[in-house]
Amino acid sequence: MGVQQKKVAVHDLEVGMFVSDLDRPWHQTPFPIQGFHIRSQDDIRALVSHCKWVMVDVAEAREAKEVKGGSKPVFGKTLNKRGGGREQLQLPPLSIREPVAYETVTSLKKEMKTSKRLLDDMEVALDQLFETLRADGVPDLRPIAAITSKMVSSVVRQPDALLWLSRTRAHDSYLYRHALNTSVWALVCGRHLGLNEGLLNHLGLGCLLSQVGKTTLPPELLAREGQLSAEEYLTYRGYVTRGVAMLENSGLSRAVLSVVQGHRERHNGSGFPEGVRGDRIPLLAKVAGIAEFFESLIAPRSHTEPMTPAKAVTLLYEMRNIEFQEDLVENFIQAIGIYPTGSLVELSDGQRGIVVSHSPERRLWPRVMVMTDTASRPLKTAKIIDLARYNEGKEAAETVRIRECLPHGTEGLDPSCYDVTGVESRWSLTRLISG
């Protein structure tokens, strides 16, 4: 089954459709040349202001093939609204060989103290790596591999600490911030999947190195990533192949290189560089692809407005079995929570704060560091509220819940400005999350 284009008037567009062509040249609009999913009514309003009609991708109708034993992919027709009619591909349920059941063995406070230096060292190592590659030098990957191993150990001990720090600290370079945060998202997901520590090391290192090919791209092209002409996008797509070429003689394992090679491939074959699909994409590359995509939504380059994590989770869920394998999407969301660590939120009583950690059993009731009162006035001292514990035994009308996710950078919500008081201790975030 292939994908056809259908002409649709802009006033008939719906959230979830994939726009693949316009009624005018792409360079005359602010939209990305490679096409894009309609994520909100704001996207539709923007299209209305520029176009009268667009082309959307629609899967060709074909009866689903019966698969015996569930050992092969099932190709079916897509008739619902999800994905705008794009082809869906269903694989047999994910099976992890000998999964590891990890337990959290240290507190968030203790692990944050350990991890802060770790992120400092990784930023220095990545900066040196990218500078070496830009100068056509021979990279020494041993420092990054060593720090990756320590990152894996940290996530295994306490999955929220490294994620919290990577989300709330300042970064000077988009390139290594993107690589670093992608790696942490992927490790948190891999831990949830039960991948052993060896595979987690391959996954983390592959994510950290996945962006090295971008060091060969012109800075002016990188600065407009996501808003490229057709010719520029062809150049941009080559960063993956160039990255693999730069690393293939560096002694890396095949598993690490497969992450670099496959992190931009997509479940339905719409990715690059090879356009492979389904079970031809290695598992670690699939996890890396989800993590990299999610990070690009919530922390894009400065010219693009970021999504709130909650909206990004919703979009990712809508793309299951289209661009990403369904059960991997579900596992990723289970691992990071509906409101991921580092999300700015407003509670139902008007208090505002940032998600510190979440419980897989009560994903809608995470632990929140509250920084304002019910009238949005800044508190002198922040406080931790464990919503699951606070709401236990209360009637629905008495519970405090998350009302909405707030945009990153919302005024008055800078966690580095606060000390934190909780039921266990009082501690300062300033030293832990300052760069």
Side-chain angles (χ1 to χ4, degrees):
M1 177 172 61
V3 176
Q4 294 182 331
Q5 289 185 315
K6 178 181 178 181
K7 185 177 178 180
V8 178
V10 289
H11 292 287
D12 294 329
L13 292 172
E14 296 177 349
V15 173
M17 289 182 172
F18 184 85
V19 177
S20 56
D21 204 357
L22 308 176
D23 63 357
R24 63 184 58 214
W26 287 91
H27 69 269
Q28 295 179 5
T29 74
F31 308 118
I33 182 65
Q34 65 269 28
F36 61 97
H37 281 96
I38 298 175
R39 304 170 181 168
S40 66
Q41 292 298 323
D42 287 340
D43 288 343
I44 295 177
R45 283 191 286 270
L47 283 163
V48 169
S49 67
H50 287 86
C51 306
K52 294 182 178 179
W53 56 264
V54 299
M55 303 297 289
V56 299
D57 283 358
V58 180
E60 297 173 357
R62 180 184 298 178
E63 291 300 322
K65 296 181 180 180
E66 182 178 353
V67 178
K68 296 181 180 181
S71 60
K72 295 183 180 180
V74 177
F75 298 88
K77 56 184 179 181
T78 303
L79 299 178
N80 60 353
K81 296 179 180 178
R82 183 168 67 84
R86 304 188 79 196
E87 178 187 1
Q88 296 186 41
L89 166 63
Q90 179 139 12
L91 296 180
L94 183 69
S95 177
I96 303 296
R97 183 180 299 176
E98 299 179 356
V100 180
Y102 294 106
E103 294 184 2
T104 300
V105 298
T106 187
S107 68
L108 179 66
K109 173 186 174 183
K110 182 177 180 180
E111 193 60 37
M112 283 173 67
K113 290 182 177 179
T114 302
S115 301
K116 194 255 179 196
R117 177 62 182 271
L118 192 58
L119 291 185
D120 290 342
D121 292 343
M122 180 57 80
E123 288 195 8
V124 171
L126 283 174
D127 192 37
Q128 291 176 345
L129 171 66
F130 292 146
E131 287 302 317
T132 299
L133 293 173
R134 289 189 185 99
D136 296 325
V138 179
D140 181 4
L141 300 179
R142 289 173 297 180
I144 289 182
I147 300 171
T148 300
S149 180
K150 294 179 181 178
M151 288 174 60
V152 169
S153 297
S154 175
V155 169
V156 165
R157 290 190 299 265
Q158 211 320 328
D160 287 307
L162 203 61
L163 184 56
W164 165 274
L165 290 172
S166 70
R167 293 288 313 282
T168 55
R169 66 193 274 116
H171 298 269
D172 294 327
S173 167
Y174 175 85
L175 200 57
Y176 64 67
R177 181 194 76 191
H178 187 76
L180 179 60
N181 288 359
T182 294
S183 181
V184 177
W185 288 120
L187 288 177
V188 170
C189 179
R191 179 189 190 273
H192 179 80
L193 289 169
L195 302 180
N196 63 48
E197 291 193 38
L199 290 175
L200 290 177
N201 271 282
H202 293 324
L203 175 61
L205 184 55
C207 289
L208 288 168
L209 299 176
S210 64
Q211 307 296 299
V212 299
K214 291 183 180 178
T215 61
T216 66
L217 296 175
E220 60 274 13
L221 186 149
L222 273 181
R224 292 184 292 103
E225 189 176 1
Q227 296 181 335
L228 305 175
S229 67
E231 184 177 354
E232 288 172 329
Y233 186 61
L234 287 176
T235 301
Y236 171 82
R237 285 166 55 116
Y239 88 82
V240 174
T241 302
R242 287 191 290 273
V244 173
M246 295 162 73
L247 297 170
E248 60 185 357
N249 295 320
S250 58
L252 291 171
S253 70
R254 182 177 299 179
V256 173
L257 286 175
S258 75
V259 174
V260 180
Q261 172 78 25
H263 74 281
R264 292 303 294 263
E265 300 290 359
R266 292 296 180 256
H267 187 63
N268 62 356
S270 63
F272 60 86
E274 301 295 334
V276 296
R277 56 191 283 159
D279 55 3
R280 292 189 59 195
I281 307 172
L283 173 62
L284 297 187
K286 291 181 181 182
V287 175
I290 292 175
E292 198 268 346
F293 175 77
F294 186 78
E295 174 65 17
S296 70
L297 293 179
I298 65 172
R301 289 189 182 272
S302 57
H303 59 71
T304 305
E305 184 176 351
M307 271 191 179
T308 65
K311 288 183 179 179
V313 164
T314 299
L315 176 61
L316 188 59
Y317 187 71
E318 288 297 310
M319 297 173 73
R320 66 196 189 283
N321 275 349
I322 300 172
E323 293 201 21
F324 302 105
Q325 187 173 335
E326 180 174 23
D327 41 9
L328 277 179
V329 169
E330 292 175 351
N331 273 277
F332 183 84
I333 295 173
Q334 290 168 10
I336 69 171
I338 303 298
Y339 303 104
T341 298
S343 301
L344 299 178
V345 295
E346 180 172 296
L347 303 181
S348 55
D349 63 0
Q351 296 182 95
R352 290 182 166 190
I354 185 169
V355 175
V356 174
S357 63
H358 72 279
S359 166
E361 293 78 25
R362 305 304 299 266
R363 283 177 286 160
L364 294 176
W365 289 350
R367 294 175 73 220
V368 178
M369 187 183 87
V370 174
M371 293 177 279
T372 75
D373 62 18
T374 56
S376 297
R377 294 184 295 256
L379 300 175
K380 292 182 178 180
T381 302
K383 59 182 178 180
I384 298 289
I385 298 180
D386 185 336
L387 293 181
R389 182 181 300 179
Y390 180 86
N391 291 327
E392 187 175 0
K394 288 184 170 62
E395 297 292 334
E398 301 174 328
T399 60
V400 174
R401 60 195 182 279
I402 292 178
R403 175 184 293 158
E404 64 175 326
C405 225
L406 301 173
H408 180 72
T410 296
E411 187 177 357
L413 298 182
D414 181 359
S416 66
C417 298
Y418 288 91
D419 286 352
V420 179
T421 58
V423 294
E424 299 173 354
S425 62
R426 176 184 175 94
W427 41 284
S428 174
L429 286 172
T430 305
R431 295 179 181 176
L432 292 175
I433 63 178
S434 58

